[in-house]
Amino acid sequence: MLLVIGYLTTPTTATGVSLSEFWAWVRYLAALTSDTDLRLNSSFADLDPHQKTILSDDFGMGAPMLWLAERLSLEDVCDGRYFMERLAAGLSVTSANTSRRGPNKTPDFVARDASGLWHVVECKGTQSGDTFSKTQIGDAGPPAVNGVAQKRSIVFPPGYTGQRLVSGLSIAVQGSAHGSRLRIVDPEPKEPFRITESSLKLATDAAARAVVARALRLAGFEIASQAMASPLGDRPSAKRAKTPRVERERARRVAERDGLARAELTNPDLLRGVSDDGRFVGRKLLFDLPRPIEVDGQKVLRAEIRQGVNKEILTELAEEPTIEDLLQASDAEWVKKRGRTTVVADGRHATFRIGDLFMSEIKLT
């Protein structure tokens, strides 16, 4: 689950070093008890309210998305706000329901599965018990409130609509009588923002870009990630300018970034092998834990994290880091190498994969 939290909380478009890339392992590795179910130890259960909220939000995303990825065969998982910004840019509209709060807040995630269906997921997490978790999930009303209202902000056309879900994770603490509980509901919505069948290709492009950009960032290719996430400028919502002078300046800046991305993708210092078979290159981190933890009855003192992108994909991407048109309309072979999101865990070792595109691995020793 920590691998999934680290992936999902990494910004798609932020620049600079992001602590979220390692936050889940550094922060939460010592938060869990050695019980067979999910429980927080007493130290983390006694955090101040602000820190408890952050932990609950992170776990509230990681646990349900890990469970749903397997059950729904999810491939492209995209954060909702980025999805809407890219869709707005493709439709040439100023904005598209990207409120940060309230009923029109974008849902946490939009995901496409292996069969081409689209799913909308709003995630909630709490340490305040099952009753409060139900409150977070909300009610269909009228009026709809909380998670039920927020997941209503996107609807796909008939034949492409999968599940519209709200999840609530109630996190148990050490010694409590009741264990953690994950509740997922699918109330009937009345959505204010509709994606037409003709704009589905824009939706597919947005979701694919989010996945690839996040994978590149986690592997250490920040400039290439930015070029993938925001191909027309500095933000996902950037569009071609209407006036020649402004358009020339936009094109110049994009071309300059493209050159930097090419250099980054061919930099031998960044192309370090991180998988045993040598197929994935990226970043490797080994760190000592603040204190020993117990996993499967054995003491763990350190953790090794490996994150990488398929080397063949990087080689091809280096030839054209910036694809301004739809990814699926390009000739790039790497576009087809995205696939199912899977997690395999075995004791003190776990691997998170996205098709043949990306791998993330944690080993505890």
Side-chain angles (χ1 to χ4, degrees):
M1 183 179 71
L2 296 184
L3 291 174
V4 176
I5 292 175
Y7 174 78
L8 294 177
T9 56
T10 296
T12 303
T13 59
T15 57
V17 177
S18 173
L19 182 59
S20 64
E21 295 166 18
F22 303 106
W23 180 258
W25 311 301
V26 176
R27 176 68 168 170
Y28 299 140
L29 196 55
L32 303 176
T33 69
S34 57
D35 295 294
T36 55
D37 61 344
L38 176 66
R39 290 176 183 267
L40 296 178
N41 61 41
S42 55
S43 298
F44 277 77
D46 292 334
L47 292 173
D48 69 70
H50 177 69
Q51 295 184 65
K52 289 180 70 172
T53 298
I54 296 173
L55 184 150
S56 297
D57 287 346
D58 286 348
F59 277 57
M61 289 189 296
M65 293 309 294
L66 174 62
W67 191 85
L68 289 170
E70 180 179 346
R71 269 67 179 183
L72 298 179
S73 299
L74 299 183
E75 291 191 350
D76 294 333
V77 179
C78 174
D79 59 278
R81 188 172 181 83
Y82 172 82
F83 179 85
M84 295 295 280
E85 287 184 355
R86 282 296 302 160
L87 197 64
L91 294 172
S92 297
V93 297
T94 302
S95 63
N97 270 348
T98 54
S99 302
R100 295 182 184 273
R101 293 182 176 85
N104 286 330
K105 170 190 174 293
T106 55
D108 288 316
F109 300 105
V110 177
R112 188 178 64 86
D113 68 22
S115 64
L117 295 180
W118 291 85
H119 308 274
V120 178
V121 185
E122 176 69 20
C123 301
K124 303 292 183 181
T126 183
Q127 299 168 49
S128 299
D130 197 50
T131 300
F132 186 75
S133 180
K134 292 179 181 178
T135 301
Q136 285 185 312
I137 289 176
D139 187 83
V145 294
N146 295 337
V148 170
Q150 291 161 2
K151 69 97 183 183
R152 293 180 168 194
S153 56
I154 303 174
V155 64
F156 289 87
Y160 298 92
T161 301
Q163 304 296 320
R164 291 186 289 261
L165 305 173
V166 183
S167 67
L169 177 67
S170 176
I171 309 168
V173 299
Q174 189 174 23
S176 63
H178 303 286
S180 296
R181 181 171 183 176
L182 174 62
R183 178 181 285 103
I184 297 177
V185 300
D186 183 18
E188 286 298 320
K190 180 181 178 182
E191 294 84 355
F193 185 84
R194 293 185 175 273
I195 296 174
T196 63
E197 190 166 349
S198 62
S199 63
L200 270 177
K201 59 181 182 292
L202 299 174
T204 301
D205 181 76
R209 286 184 182 277
V211 170
V212 178
R214 187 175 277 138
L216 288 168
R217 181 173 301 281
L218 285 167
F221 302 96
E222 180 181 306
I223 304 173
S225 172
Q226 189 70 14
M228 178 60 60
S230 307
L232 295 178
D234 296 332
R235 295 186 55 80
S237 56
K239 301 185 286 287
R240 292 182 175 88
K242 295 181 179 180
T243 62
R245 182 182 63 81
V246 177
E247 173 58 18
R248 284 194 299 270
E249 175 60 18
R250 183 204 66 81
R252 183 195 66 77
R253 294 175 63 181
V254 169
E256 181 180 9
R257 184 184 62 186
D258 187 77
L260 294 173
R262 291 172 189 267
E264 179 184 63
L265 291 166
T266 55
N267 184 347
D269 292 335
L270 298 178
L271 299 174
R272 298 182 293 267
V274 295
S275 61
D276 295 336
D277 59 8
R279 293 174 56 239
F280 292 84
V281 296
R283 294 194 289 186
K284 183 189 302 184
L285 175 69
L286 179 66
F287 62 88
D288 294 327
L289 301 182
R291 62 177 177 81
I293 62 173
E294 185 177 302
V295 178
D296 291 341
Q298 295 182 309
K299 184 178 294 186
V300 172
L301 301 175
R302 59 185 57 87
E304 180 181 7
I305 311 297
R306 301 182 184 187
Q307 300 181 126
V309 173
N310 188 305
K311 183 166 58 176
E312 294 181 357
I313 291 178
L314 292 179
T315 299
E316 186 178 359
L317 192 59
E319 298 177 3
E320 189 181 10
T322 305
I323 301 176
E324 295 192 355
D325 296 322
L326 299 177
L327 291 180
Q328 58 268 35
S330 72
D331 296 327
E333 287 295 322
W334 64 261
V335 175
K336 305 172 185 176
K337 293 188 177 181
R338 303 181 337 273
R340 282 192 58 185
T341 298
T342 60
V343 176
V344 178
D346 181 16
R348 295 182 293 171
H349 173 249
T351 302
F352 170 72
R353 293 282 296 267
I354 302 176
D356 207 26
L357 166 71
F358 174 75
M359 63 84 66
S360 179
E361 184 179 59
I362 183 170
K363 292 182 179 180
L364 305 178
T365 57

